[in-house]
Amino acid sequence: KTLLAPEEKFDAVLADLGVSSMQLDVAERGFRFGGALNTPLDMRMDRTQALTARDVVNTWSEMALADILHEYGEERRARHFAARLCTARGERSIETAADLLNALGLPTTWRATKGKNGKATTHPATRTFQAIRIAVNDELASIDAGVPSLMDTLAEGGRLGVISFHSLEDRRVKWIFKQGESEAAKLRKREESAASDGDDGRGRYRVSDAELALMDKGMGL
């Protein structure tokens, strides 16, 4: 909005909700679960904030951990992993990616293979790391605030496209589209984009699919 004068609007906006690969690839940021595993658990996109992944896994209650693993990671073993984390941290603090993997009882080495669907398999810790990262950075709250703001910048008949990279984001965006402008906006379509690379075998997870949600402002239902 700060790019626009009060009377100015955009005809089209495209938002990409993907995280920064440049940040993910820096080992000391603590996002990775392959390669250098002895770096501190951090996972902050904004390194000026206080909360880190280390804080989450060492201080949050077992119930809170299970909740984020289930909600943010859609991890079927959420309660099991939460219990393991609490047991492990009772013996020693979980400080690194290797500590986290060991606490979960998951391998510290991994090489992706092609699954039956032709897509690369992902490390079994992928959903857990995703959940912790989302919790640390409050990513869904950013979507809740950001997408309506983008909708407000559209001119009459303008189009907003939002590219999401997992089902949590996709559902959130569609819900905002439907709720935020229920009478003046229409969710036009949802498309699968081209697949990108998966887990590259060095713990650098890449999404395998992206979703594009489009909404036209003021087109009616």
Side-chain angles (χ1 to χ4, degrees):
K1 285 186 177 180
T2 58
L3 298 176
L4 298 173
E7 69 280 4
E8 292 179 325
K9 298 289 184 180
F10 287 120
D11 293 323
V13 175
L14 178 63
D16 182 337
L17 301 183
V19 297
S20 169
S21 291
M22 291 181 289
Q23 290 179 316
L24 298 184
D25 287 345
V26 178
E28 57 266 26
R29 300 297 293 271
F31 294 105
R32 295 173 56 175
F33 43 88
L37 294 174
N38 60 346
T39 53
L41 281 174
D42 191 324
M43 297 196 193
R44 293 174 297 174
M45 294 296 181
D46 176 4
R47 301 190 81 174
T48 65
Q49 76 173 42
L51 183 67
T52 68
R54 179 190 178 280
D55 299 326
V56 171
V57 299
N58 284 294
T59 66
W60 286 20
S61 69
E62 182 175 333
M63 181 177 294
L65 290 171
D67 285 347
I68 65 166
L69 295 182
H70 174 71
E71 182 179 354
Y72 297 161
E74 299 179 299
E75 173 56 67
R76 291 176 295 178
R77 297 167 291 178
R79 292 186 182 279
H80 171 70
F81 282 162
R84 287 192 64 103
L85 289 174
C86 290
T87 298
R89 75 191 190 191
E91 298 174 359
R92 61 186 295 255
S93 179
I94 300 170
E95 300 288 337
T96 67
D99 290 342
L100 179 53
L101 291 171
N102 287 328
L104 296 170
L106 297 177
T108 55
T109 59
W110 179 262
R111 180 161 297 280
T113 59
K114 289 290 185 180
K116 293 181 180 179
N117 58 4
K119 296 180 181 179
T121 57
T122 58
H123 192 288
T126 296
R127 292 179 180 272
T128 295
F129 272 68
Q130 172 185 293
I132 296 170
R133 190 202 74 222
I134 290 173
V136 167
N137 296 286
D138 204 8
E139 294 177 22
L140 297 185
S142 297
I143 295 173
D144 291 342
V147 173
S149 294
L150 293 175
M151 293 167 69
D152 290 343
T153 69
L154 292 176
E156 188 75 4
R159 173 169 286 189
L160 170 61
V162 180
I163 302 171
S164 56
F165 293 89
H166 53 76
S167 59
L168 295 177
E169 294 175 342
D170 183 49
R171 291 195 299 267
R172 204 83 164 202
V173 170
K174 290 196 297 179
W175 185 86
I176 293 170
F177 278 2
K178 291 176 180 179
Q179 298 297 320
E181 292 259 354
S182 58
E183 294 183 358
K186 183 178 181 181
L187 180 62
R188 304 294 288 186
K189 60 182 176 179
R190 178 170 172 260
E191 300 175 347
E192 245 186 56
S193 75
S196 60
D197 54 327
D199 188 319
D200 66 1
R202 291 176 290 171
R204 300 188 305 178
Y205 177 64
R206 300 291 186 269
V207 298
S208 56
D209 293 292
E211 299 288 338
L212 171 64
L214 298 174
M215 164 258 187
D216 293 337
K217 184 172 184 178
M219 299 299 288
L221 299 176

